[in-house]
PDB file of all heavy atoms in Angstrom:
ATOM      1  N   TYR A 186     -40.289 -24.332  34.455  1.00 74.00           N
ATOM      2  CA  TYR A 186     -39.665 -24.879  33.221  1.00 74.00           C
ATOM      3  C   TYR A 186     -40.574 -24.883  32.060  1.00 74.00           C
ATOM      4  O   TYR A 186     -40.209 -24.659  30.913  1.00 74.00           O
ATOM      5  CB  TYR A 186     -39.282 -26.340  33.530  1.00 74.00           C
ATOM      6  CG  TYR A 186     -37.909 -26.535  34.200  1.00 74.00           C
ATOM      7  CD1 TYR A 186     -37.855 -27.302  35.318  1.00 74.00           C
ATOM      8  CD2 TYR A 186     -36.801 -25.951  33.663  1.00 74.00           C
ATOM      9  CE1 TYR A 186     -36.576 -27.496  36.015  1.00 74.00           C
ATOM     10  CE2 TYR A 186     -35.578 -26.115  34.304  1.00 74.00           C
ATOM     11  CZ  TYR A 186     -35.486 -26.906  35.495  1.00 74.00           C
ATOM     12  OH  TYR A 186     -34.268 -27.081  36.073  1.00 74.00           O
ATOM     13  N   ASN A 187     -41.904 -25.158  32.353  1.00 78.00           N
ATOM     14  CA  ASN A 187     -42.885 -25.230  31.270  1.00 78.00           C
ATOM     15  C   ASN A 187     -43.425 -23.883  30.713  1.00 78.00           C
ATOM     16  O   ASN A 187     -43.407 -23.654  29.492  1.00 78.00           O
ATOM     17  CB  ASN A 187     -44.076 -26.146  31.731  1.00 78.00           C
ATOM     18  CG  ASN A 187     -43.728 -27.569  31.816  1.00 78.00           C
ATOM     19  OD1 ASN A 187     -42.733 -28.034  31.243  1.00 78.00           O
ATOM     20  ND2 ASN A 187     -44.520 -28.276  32.548  1.00 78.00           N
ATOM     21  N   THR A 188     -43.763 -23.033  31.614  1.00 82.00           N
ATOM     22  CA  THR A 188     -44.370 -21.800  31.250  1.00 82.00           C
ATOM     23  C   THR A 188     -43.369 -20.638  31.060  1.00 82.00           C
ATOM     24  O   THR A 188     -43.680 -19.640  30.447  1.00 82.00           O
ATOM     25  CB  THR A 188     -45.475 -21.391  32.231  1.00 82.00           C
ATOM     26  OG1 THR A 188     -44.893 -21.027  33.490  1.00 82.00           O
ATOM     27  CG2 THR A 188     -46.454 -22.476  32.512  1.00 82.00           C
ATOM     28  N   HIS A 189     -42.211 -20.765  31.705  1.00 85.00           N
ATOM     29  CA  HIS A 189     -41.190 -19.710  31.703  1.00 85.00           C
ATOM     30  C   HIS A 189     -41.693 -18.455  32.424  1.00 85.00           C
ATOM     31  O   HIS A 189     -41.122 -17.403  32.280  1.00 85.00           O
ATOM     32  CB  HIS A 189     -40.738 -19.333  30.249  1.00 85.00           C
ATOM     33  CG  HIS A 189     -40.145 -20.518  29.558  1.00 85.00           C
ATOM     34  ND1 HIS A 189     -38.927 -21.094  29.835  1.00 85.00           N
ATOM     35  CD2 HIS A 189     -40.745 -21.256  28.500  1.00 85.00           C
ATOM     36  CE1 HIS A 189     -38.731 -22.082  29.017  1.00 85.00           C
ATOM     37  NE2 HIS A 189     -39.752 -22.230  28.242  1.00 85.00           N
ATOM     38  N   ARG A 190     -42.705 -18.680  33.259  1.00 88.00           N
ATOM     39  CA  ARG A 190     -43.246 -17.592  34.097  1.00 88.00           C
ATOM     40  C   ARG A 190     -42.752 -17.823  35.531  1.00 88.00           C
ATOM     41  O   ARG A 190     -42.212 -18.900  35.861  1.00 88.00           O
ATOM     42  CB  ARG A 190     -44.739 -17.498  34.024  1.00 88.00           C
ATOM     43  CG  ARG A 190     -45.288 -17.214  32.682  1.00 88.00           C
ATOM     44  CD  ARG A 190     -46.786 -17.185  32.640  1.00 88.00           C
ATOM     45  NE  ARG A 190     -47.349 -16.937  31.304  1.00 88.00           N
ATOM     46  CZ  ARG A 190     -48.583 -17.012  31.031  1.00 88.00           C
ATOM     47  NH1 ARG A 190     -49.528 -17.364  31.930  1.00 88.00           N
ATOM     48  NH2 ARG A 190     -49.022 -16.698  29.784  1.00 88.00           N
ATOM     49  N   ALA A 191     -42.966 -16.845  36.414  1.00 90.00           N
ATOM     50  CA  ALA A 191     -42.553 -16.990  37.796  1.00 90.00           C
ATOM     51  C   ALA A 191     -43.223 -18.221  38.399  1.00 90.00           C
ATOM     52  O   ALA A 191     -44.413 -18.391  38.309  1.00 90.00           O
ATOM     53  CB  ALA A 191     -42.888 -15.768  38.559  1.00 90.00           C
ATOM     54  N   ALA A 192     -42.394 -19.183  38.992  1.00 87.00           N
ATOM     55  CA  ALA A 192     -42.912 -20.350  39.619  1.00 87.00           C
ATOM     56  C   ALA A 192     -43.693 -19.993  40.878  1.00 87.00           C
ATOM     57  O   ALA A 192     -43.272 -19.182  41.658  1.00 87.00           O
ATOM     58  CB  ALA A 192     -41.817 -21.304  39.921  1.00 87.00           C
ATOM     59  N   VAL A 193     -44.862 -20.651  41.073  1.00 88.00           N
ATOM     60  CA  VAL A 193     -45.693 -20.416  42.256  1.00 88.00           C
ATOM     61  C   VAL A 193     -45.778 -21.626  43.087  1.00 88.00           C
ATOM     62  O   VAL A 193     -45.874 -22.772  42.589  1.00 88.00           O
ATOM     63  CB  VAL A 193     -47.146 -19.992  41.765  1.00 88.00           C
ATOM     64  CG1 VAL A 193     -48.034 -19.850  43.045  1.00 88.00           C
ATOM     65  CG2 VAL A 193     -47.117 -18.763  40.905  1.00 88.00           C
ATOM     66  N   ILE A 194     -45.639 -21.475  44.458  1.00 86.00           N
ATOM     67  CA  ILE A 194     -45.820 -22.568  45.384  1.00 86.00           C
ATOM     68  C   ILE A 194     -47.263 -22.349  46.004  1.00 86.00           C
ATOM     69  O   ILE A 194     -47.501 -21.339  46.579  1.00 86.00           O
ATOM     70  CB  ILE A 194     -44.775 -22.544  46.492  1.00 86.00           C
ATOM     71  CG1 ILE A 194     -43.331 -22.603  45.894  1.00 86.00           C
ATOM     72  CG2 ILE A 194     -45.016 -23.722  47.494  1.00 86.00           C
ATOM     73  CD1 ILE A 194     -42.249 -22.584  46.928  1.00 86.00           C
ATOM     74  N   PRO A 195     -48.072 -23.367  45.906  1.00 84.00           N
ATOM     75  CA  PRO A 195     -49.452 -23.277  46.492  1.00 84.00           C
ATOM     76  C   PRO A 195     -49.317 -23.001  48.013  1.00 84.00           C
ATOM     77  O   PRO A 195     -48.415 -23.372  48.672  1.00 84.00           O
ATOM     78  CB  PRO A 195     -50.077 -24.561  46.218  1.00 84.00           C
ATOM     79  CG  PRO A 195     -49.350 -25.138  44.966  1.00 84.00           C
ATOM     80  CD  PRO A 195     -47.946 -24.624  45.117  1.00 84.00           C
ATOM     81  N   HIS A 196     -50.333 -22.186  48.526  1.00 87.00           N
ATOM     82  CA  HIS A 196     -50.259 -21.871  49.924  1.00 87.00           C
ATOM     83  C   HIS A 196     -50.217 -23.125  50.851  1.00 87.00           C
ATOM     84  O   HIS A 196     -49.479 -23.102  51.845  1.00 87.00           O
ATOM     85  CB  HIS A 196     -51.558 -21.077  50.307  1.00 87.00           C
ATOM     86  CG  HIS A 196     -51.610 -19.758  49.673  1.00 87.00           C
ATOM     87  ND1 HIS A 196     -50.878 -18.677  50.154  1.00 87.00           N
ATOM     88  CD2 HIS A 196     -52.377 -19.245  48.619  1.00 87.00           C
ATOM     89  CE1 HIS A 196     -51.075 -17.612  49.463  1.00 87.00           C
ATOM     90  NE2 HIS A 196     -52.018 -17.945  48.467  1.00 87.00           N
ATOM     91  N   ARG A 197     -50.968 -24.136  50.478  1.00 82.00           N
ATOM     92  CA  ARG A 197     -50.989 -25.370  51.291  1.00 82.00           C
ATOM     93  C   ARG A 197     -49.599 -25.945  51.382  1.00 82.00           C
ATOM     94  O   ARG A 197     -49.116 -26.402  52.438  1.00 82.00           O
ATOM     95  CB  ARG A 197     -51.973 -26.393  50.712  1.00 82.00           C
ATOM     96  CG  ARG A 197     -51.937 -27.780  51.317  1.00 82.00           C
ATOM     97  CD  ARG A 197     -52.447 -27.767  52.787  1.00 82.00           C
ATOM     98  NE  ARG A 197     -52.381 -29.120  53.337  1.00 82.00           N
ATOM     99  CZ  ARG A 197     -52.740 -29.414  54.542  1.00 82.00           C
ATOM    100  NH1 ARG A 197     -53.171 -28.448  55.351  1.00 82.00           N
ATOM    101  NH2 ARG A 197     -52.661 -30.675  54.987  1.00 82.00           N
ATOM    102  N   GLN A 198     -48.837 -26.068  50.228  1.00 81.00           N
ATOM    103  CA  GLN A 198     -47.587 -26.680  50.229  1.00 81.00           C
ATOM    104  C   GLN A 198     -46.568 -25.820  51.034  1.00 81.00           C
ATOM    105  O   GLN A 198     -45.707 -26.380  51.729  1.00 81.00           O
ATOM    106  CB  GLN A 198     -47.079 -26.790  48.766  1.00 81.00           C
ATOM    107  CG  GLN A 198     -47.943 -27.810  48.015  1.00 81.00           C
ATOM    108  CD  GLN A 198     -47.584 -27.912  46.534  1.00 81.00           C
ATOM    109  OE1 GLN A 198     -46.518 -27.404  46.170  1.00 81.00           O
ATOM    110  NE2 GLN A 198     -48.380 -28.599  45.775  1.00 81.00           N
ATOM    111  N   MET A 199     -46.697 -24.542  50.932  1.00 87.00           N
ATOM    112  CA  MET A 199     -45.779 -23.681  51.694  1.00 87.00           C
ATOM    113  C   MET A 199     -46.028 -23.789  53.161  1.00 87.00           C
ATOM    114  O   MET A 199     -45.085 -23.835  53.965  1.00 87.00           O
ATOM    115  CB  MET A 199     -45.960 -22.239  51.228  1.00 87.00           C
ATOM    116  CG  MET A 199     -44.770 -21.325  51.624  1.00 87.00           C
ATOM    117  SD  MET A 199     -43.258 -21.786  50.743  1.00 87.00           S
ATOM    118  CE  MET A 199     -42.072 -21.585  52.035  1.00 87.00           C
ATOM    119  N   GLU A 200     -47.291 -23.877  53.565  1.00 88.00           N
ATOM    120  CA  GLU A 200     -47.595 -24.040  54.981  1.00 88.00           C
ATOM    121  C   GLU A 200     -47.004 -25.363  55.512  1.00 88.00           C
ATOM    122  O   GLU A 200     -46.417 -25.408  56.585  1.00 88.00           O
ATOM    123  CB  GLU A 200     -49.149 -24.047  55.132  1.00 88.00           C
ATOM    124  CG  GLU A 200     -49.507 -24.223  56.596  1.00 88.00           C
ATOM    125  CD  GLU A 200     -51.048 -24.331  56.759  1.00 88.00           C
ATOM    126  OE1 GLU A 200     -51.776 -24.245  55.732  1.00 88.00           O
ATOM    127  OE2 GLU A 200     -51.545 -24.553  57.852  1.00 88.00           O
ATOM    128  N   GLU A 201     -47.123 -26.390  54.737  1.00 81.00           N
ATOM    129  CA  GLU A 201     -46.602 -27.747  55.136  1.00 81.00           C
ATOM    130  C   GLU A 201     -45.148 -27.718  55.338  1.00 81.00           C
ATOM    131  O   GLU A 201     -44.607 -28.253  56.308  1.00 81.00           O
ATOM    132  CB  GLU A 201     -47.020 -28.760  54.177  1.00 81.00           C
ATOM    133  CG  GLU A 201     -48.526 -29.117  54.105  1.00 81.00           C
ATOM    134  CD  GLU A 201     -48.847 -30.128  52.984  1.00 81.00           C
ATOM    135  OE1 GLU A 201     -48.233 -30.005  51.930  1.00 81.00           O
ATOM    136  OE2 GLU A 201     -49.791 -30.873  53.128  1.00 81.00           O
ATOM    137  N   PHE A 202     -44.448 -27.097  54.382  1.00 84.00           N
ATOM    138  CA  PHE A 202     -42.974 -27.092  54.491  1.00 84.00           C
ATOM    139  C   PHE A 202     -42.501 -26.302  55.672  1.00 84.00           C
ATOM    140  O   PHE A 202     -41.613 -26.698  56.413  1.00 84.00           O
ATOM    141  CB  PHE A 202     -42.444 -26.443  53.212  1.00 84.00           C
ATOM    142  CG  PHE A 202     -40.916 -26.229  53.304  1.00 84.00           C
ATOM    143  CD1 PHE A 202     -40.022 -27.324  53.383  1.00 84.00           C
ATOM    144  CD2 PHE A 202     -40.363 -24.953  53.333  1.00 84.00           C
ATOM    145  CE1 PHE A 202     -38.664 -27.147  53.482  1.00 84.00           C
ATOM    146  CE2 PHE A 202     -38.969 -24.838  53.369  1.00 84.00           C
ATOM    147  CZ  PHE A 202     -38.147 -25.863  53.477  1.00 84.00           C
ATOM    148  N   ILE A 203     -43.098 -25.060  55.947  1.00 90.00           N
ATOM    149  CA  ILE A 203     -42.657 -24.253  57.066  1.00 90.00           C
ATOM    150  C   ILE A 203     -42.986 -25.021  58.364  1.00 90.00           C
ATOM    151  O   ILE A 203     -42.215 -25.053  59.293  1.00 90.00           O
ATOM    152  CB  ILE A 203     -43.363 -22.911  57.012  1.00 90.00           C
ATOM    153  CG1 ILE A 203     -42.932 -22.134  55.746  1.00 90.00           C
ATOM    154  CG2 ILE A 203     -43.004 -22.107  58.261  1.00 90.00           C
ATOM    155  CD1 ILE A 203     -43.666 -20.787  55.590  1.00 90.00           C
ATOM    156  N   TYR A 204     -44.197 -25.597  58.417  1.00 87.00           N
ATOM    157  CA  TYR A 204     -44.568 -26.372  59.586  1.00 87.00           C
ATOM    158  C   TYR A 204     -43.622 -27.523  59.890  1.00 87.00           C
ATOM    159  O   TYR A 204     -43.192 -27.681  61.069  1.00 87.00           O
ATOM    160  CB  TYR A 204     -46.013 -26.876  59.449  1.00 87.00           C
ATOM    161  CG  TYR A 204     -46.494 -27.718  60.608  1.00 87.00           C
ATOM    162  CD1 TYR A 204     -47.164 -27.046  61.679  1.00 87.00           C
ATOM    163  CD2 TYR A 204     -46.342 -29.069  60.709  1.00 87.00           C
ATOM    164  CE1 TYR A 204     -47.616 -27.761  62.717  1.00 87.00           C
ATOM    165  CE2 TYR A 204     -46.777 -29.728  61.838  1.00 87.00           C
ATOM    166  CZ  TYR A 204     -47.434 -29.144  62.835  1.00 87.00           C
ATOM    167  OH  TYR A 204     -47.853 -29.860  63.944  1.00 87.00           O
ATOM    168  N   LEU A 205     -43.221 -28.252  58.862  1.00 82.00           N
ATOM    169  CA  LEU A 205     -42.329 -29.383  59.063  1.00 82.00           C
ATOM    170  C   LEU A 205     -40.938 -28.868  59.517  1.00 82.00           C
ATOM    171  O   LEU A 205     -40.371 -29.450  60.396  1.00 82.00           O
ATOM    172  CB  LEU A 205     -42.252 -30.145  57.729  1.00 82.00           C
ATOM    173  CG  LEU A 205     -41.303 -31.362  57.725  1.00 82.00           C
ATOM    174  CD1 LEU A 205     -41.738 -32.454  58.692  1.00 82.00           C
ATOM    175  CD2 LEU A 205     -41.194 -31.892  56.311  1.00 82.00           C
ATOM    176  N   TYR A 206     -40.463 -27.812  58.824  1.00 86.00           N
ATOM    177  CA  TYR A 206     -39.173 -27.364  59.163  1.00 86.00           C
ATOM    178  C   TYR A 206     -39.066 -26.790  60.562  1.00 86.00           C
ATOM    179  O   TYR A 206     -38.080 -26.893  61.269  1.00 86.00           O
ATOM    180  CB  TYR A 206     -38.755 -26.310  58.138  1.00 86.00           C
ATOM    181  CG  TYR A 206     -37.257 -25.784  58.335  1.00 86.00           C
ATOM    182  CD1 TYR A 206     -36.199 -26.654  58.154  1.00 86.00           C
ATOM    183  CD2 TYR A 206     -37.024 -24.471  58.749  1.00 86.00           C
ATOM    184  CE1 TYR A 206     -34.914 -26.231  58.266  1.00 86.00           C
ATOM    185  CE2 TYR A 206     -35.730 -24.031  58.925  1.00 86.00           C
ATOM    186  CZ  TYR A 206     -34.660 -24.970  58.689  1.00 86.00           C
ATOM    187  OH  TYR A 206     -33.427 -24.537  58.885  1.00 86.00           O
ATOM    188  N   GLU A 207     -40.133 -26.125  61.002  1.00 87.00           N
ATOM    189  CA  GLU A 207     -40.105 -25.450  62.325  1.00 87.00           C
ATOM    190  C   GLU A 207     -40.381 -26.495  63.396  1.00 87.00           C
ATOM    191  O   GLU A 207     -39.863 -26.343  64.523  1.00 87.00           O
ATOM    192  CB  GLU A 207     -41.156 -24.361  62.420  1.00 87.00           C
ATOM    193  CG  GLU A 207     -40.783 -23.143  61.598  1.00 87.00           C
ATOM    194  CD  GLU A 207     -39.548 -22.453  62.079  1.00 87.00           C
ATOM    195  OE1 GLU A 207     -39.272 -22.477  63.272  1.00 87.00           O
ATOM    196  OE2 GLU A 207     -38.782 -21.877  61.247  1.00 87.00           O
ATOM    197  N   SER A 208     -41.189 -27.546  63.172  1.00 83.00           N
ATOM    198  CA  SER A 208     -41.515 -28.435  64.238  1.00 83.00           C
ATOM    199  C   SER A 208     -40.478 -29.597  64.423  1.00 83.00           C
ATOM    200  O   SER A 208     -40.286 -30.020  65.576  1.00 83.00           O
ATOM    201  CB  SER A 208     -42.881 -29.121  63.916  1.00 83.00           C
ATOM    202  OG  SER A 208     -42.881 -29.852  62.691  1.00 83.00           O
TER     203      SER A 208
END
Side-chain angles (χ1 to χ4, degrees):
Y186 277 127
N187 287 340
T188 66
H189 301 287
R190 297 176 181 175
V193 178
I194 302 178
H196 291 286
R197 171 68 180 181
Q198 294 176 10
M199 197 66 221
E200 179 184 0
E201 288 174 329
F202 173 66
I203 298 176
Y204 180 88
L205 178 64
Y206 184 66
E207 290 296 329
S208 61

